């Protein structure tokens, strides 16, 4: 296998046709903004127009848009609750979308680069920390997110096989947990940061004396601000062209207990925190070894956690005000 290397030449984004699958999502919309600011011609297909679990739709997408670069972000994602509720759907949809997009890219045959976004959930549940790219296959992922993680992990193998057999310029990134202003605050599907922000802000507004969080607070996570993630993804398209995956993260870990203390502080929540130990806390520790991204992409995360959390909290508060102030549609049924 090749050793990790930078791409021979960078990409001139000016007027370059680019597709971002999942480009209307949380990470996708930030990536699309960044690429448009670089003057790329970006298409962000929606599921209703191109359902990528369908091979014909994936083929049609590339035929309709003639991209030079594809970023594959479309996915079925969510926090521990959503993963536990949808193990079958998460496996099928992530597997099917990946299979179809990579195969469609091969048939299309004109891509300069296919950037596939993977996840830290693909790492073995018991892997030693920091999580190194070389350790990806040293065990099975943590059970609460294994179907999602295995589906994502399998795409790495597909990308490597297609590079070897068909010369597809596919690169694969393993992203830490993301957070940021456009995050999903729906309690049914949200990840830990938006879930805890919502709980604390809502508790302050309602004068509630306590918030409840899942697990015992001891697991650790690494959180990457969404703008940093988008910047790293673009750098990978520009600078990387090798089969080995690259971790993208901050290289810093924080326990969920410390995270909640920080969010409580930033939101002004002064009440009691109750840990619901009957609920799962997920993998014990997660922190990526980010040295490869530093060496190969010259990538370093720039947004400190407290600053990113402030932005995220502020956006959540603004959204709530907008929702509360928005005029309710007239009920004509009465
Ligand atoms: N969020 C995180 O913490 C995190 C961490 C590590 C890695 N990642 C990875 O980053 C990527 C983006 O995650 P995100 O949090 O931004 O997700 P998101 O906000 O839920 O967005 C997912 C996007 O995927 C699209 N999609 C879903 N099913 C589709 C289908 N069948 N056909 C076509 N499009 C479909 C959706 O399109 P519509 O809007 O049209 O429905 C949506 O735009 C994913 O690959 C995820 O695995 C995320």
């Amino acid at each position: 296998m090749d050793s990790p290397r930078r791409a021979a030449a960078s990409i001139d984004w000016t007027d370059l046709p680019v597709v971002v699958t999942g480009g209307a999502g949380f990470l996708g919309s930030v990536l699309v903004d960044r690429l448009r600011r670089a003057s790329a011609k970006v298409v962000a297909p929606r599921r209703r127009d191109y359902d990528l679990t369908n091979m014909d739709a994936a083929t049609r997408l590339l035929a309709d848009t003639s991209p030079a670069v594809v970023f594959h972000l479309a996915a079925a994602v969510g926090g521990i609750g959503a993963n536990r509720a949808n193990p079958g759907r998460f496996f099928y949809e992530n597997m099917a979308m990946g299979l179809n997009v990579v195969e469609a890219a091969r048939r299309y045959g004109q891509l300069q680069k296919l950037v596939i976004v993977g996840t830290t959930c693909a790492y073995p549940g018991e892997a030693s920390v920091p999580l190194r790219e070389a350790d990806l296959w040293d065990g099975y992922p943590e059970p609460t997110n294994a179907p999602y993680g295995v589906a994502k992990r399998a795409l790495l193998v597909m990308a490597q096989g297609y590079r070897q057999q068909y010369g597809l310029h596919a690169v694969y990134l393993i992203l830490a947990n993301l957070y940021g202003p456009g995050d999903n605050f729906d309690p049914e599907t949200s990840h830990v940061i938006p879930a805890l922000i919502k709980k604390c802000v809502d508790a302050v507004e309602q004068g509630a004396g306590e918030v409840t969080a899942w697990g015992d607070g001891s697991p650790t996570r690494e959180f990457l601000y969404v703008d940093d993630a988008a910047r790293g993804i673009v750098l990978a398209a520009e600078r990387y062209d090798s089969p080995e995956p690259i971790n993208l993260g901050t290289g810093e870990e924080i326990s969920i207990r410390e995270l909640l203390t920080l969010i409580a502080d930033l939101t002004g929540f002064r009440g009691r925190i109750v840990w619901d130990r009957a609920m799962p806390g997920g993998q014990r520790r997660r922190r990526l070894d980010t040295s490869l991204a530093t060496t190969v992409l010259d990538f370093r995360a720039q947004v400190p956690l407290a600053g990113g959390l402030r932005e995220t909290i502020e956006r959540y508060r603004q959204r709530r005000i907008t929702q509360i102030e928005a005029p309710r549609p007239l009920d004509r049924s009465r």
Side-chain angles (χ1 to χ4, degrees):
M1 219 171 251
D2 302 351
S3 61
R5 61 173 187 269
R6 289 189 181 199
S10 187
I11 292 175
D12 179 1
W13 295 106
T14 310
D15 292 331
L16 197 74
V18 171
V19 165
V20 180
T21 74
F26 167 46
L27 171 60
S29 52
V30 177
L31 178 62
V32 166
D33 280 354
R34 174 170 283 272
L35 291 165
R36 287 194 174 138
R37 284 200 304 275
S39 303
K41 284 187 186 159
V42 186
V43 173
R46 300 303 305 264
R47 178 180 190 154
R48 59 177 173 261
D49 301 317
Y50 299 93
D51 181 344
L52 297 173
T53 60
N54 178 304
M55 184 68 218
D56 291 342
T59 306
R60 187 165 49 82
L61 172 62
L62 299 196
D64 290 352
T65 54
S66 303
V69 179
V70 170
F71 295 88
H72 179 46
L73 276 60
V77 303
I80 294 176
N83 270 278
R84 290 211 314 165
N86 300 282
R89 183 168 74 80
F90 276 23
F91 184 86
Y92 170 73
E93 292 189 5
N94 289 310
M95 203 67 261
M97 279 190 261
L99 283 169
N100 293 338
V101 168
V102 175
E103 170 61 10
R106 177 192 73 79
R107 293 183 191 174
Y108 168 67
Q110 293 169 55
L111 280 189
Q112 282 179 43
K113 195 68 66 73
L114 169 62
V115 181
I116 300 171
V117 168
T119 166
T120 187
C121 295
Y123 270 105
E126 302 298 329
S128 59
V129 171
L131 302 166
R132 296 171 53 247
E133 291 90 344
D135 299 337
L136 190 62
W137 296 96
D138 285 356
Y140 192 69
E142 203 276 332
T144 53
N145 58 233
Y148 169 64
V150 170
K152 285 285 199 169
R153 200 195 256 199
L155 290 188
L156 169 63
V157 180
M158 185 172 187
Q160 290 171 331
Y162 272 52
R163 172 182 285 273
Q164 190 181 342
Q165 184 171 358
Y166 307 118
L168 185 71
H169 291 274
V171 298
Y172 188 96
L173 303 172
I174 303 175
L175 269 56
N177 286 34
L178 305 177
Y179 75 104
D183 213 335
N184 166 22
F185 288 91
D186 178 345
E188 293 297 315
T189 50
S190 59
H191 290 96
V192 61
I193 284 186
L196 295 180
I197 288 176
K198 177 174 167 48
K199 284 181 181 183
C200 288
V201 170
D202 292 1
V204 169
E205 282 182 7
Q206 293 158 12
E210 68 178 39
V211 299
T212 304
W214 283 18
D216 63 6
S218 65
T220 67
R221 290 290 178 272
E222 169 178 359
F223 295 102
L224 180 64
Y225 193 64
V226 67
D227 291 60
D228 274 332
R231 186 168 51 82
I233 291 169
V234 172
L235 283 174
E238 292 173 345
R239 300 184 176 181
Y240 193 57
D241 196 8
S242 277
E244 287 79 21
I246 297 192
N247 288 335
L248 270 193
T250 61
E252 292 168 9
E253 69 187 313
I254 180 171
S255 73
I256 300 301
R257 185 178 294 272
E258 290 165 323
L259 175 71
L260 182 46
T261 304
L262 183 56
I263 290 174
D265 189 40
L266 293 170
T267 54
F269 175 71
R270 306 270 174 263
R272 204 163 71 92
I273 291 168
V274 178
W275 293 98
D276 183 352
R277 289 176 167 75
M279 299 307 283
Q283 194 157 342
R284 296 301 309 157
R285 284 183 74 190
R286 274 193 196 153
R287 174 164 64 87
L288 296 173
D289 179 336
T290 54
S291 53
L292 194 57
T294 308
T295 313
V296 179
L297 306 181
D298 197 19
F299 173 81
R300 287 171 194 78
Q302 292 173 347
V303 179
L305 183 60
L309 287 175
R310 270 191 207 96
E311 298 288 328
T312 312
I313 291 165
E314 184 53 31
R315 181 71 68 84
Y316 177 63
R317 285 197 170 121
Q318 282 169 6
R319 272 203 222 173
R320 284 176 53 82
I321 290 166
T322 317
Q323 280 164 6
I324 291 163
E325 288 180 350
R328 294 170 64 180
L330 204 59
D331 184 353
R332 296 184 187 282
S333 63
R334 292 181 199 177

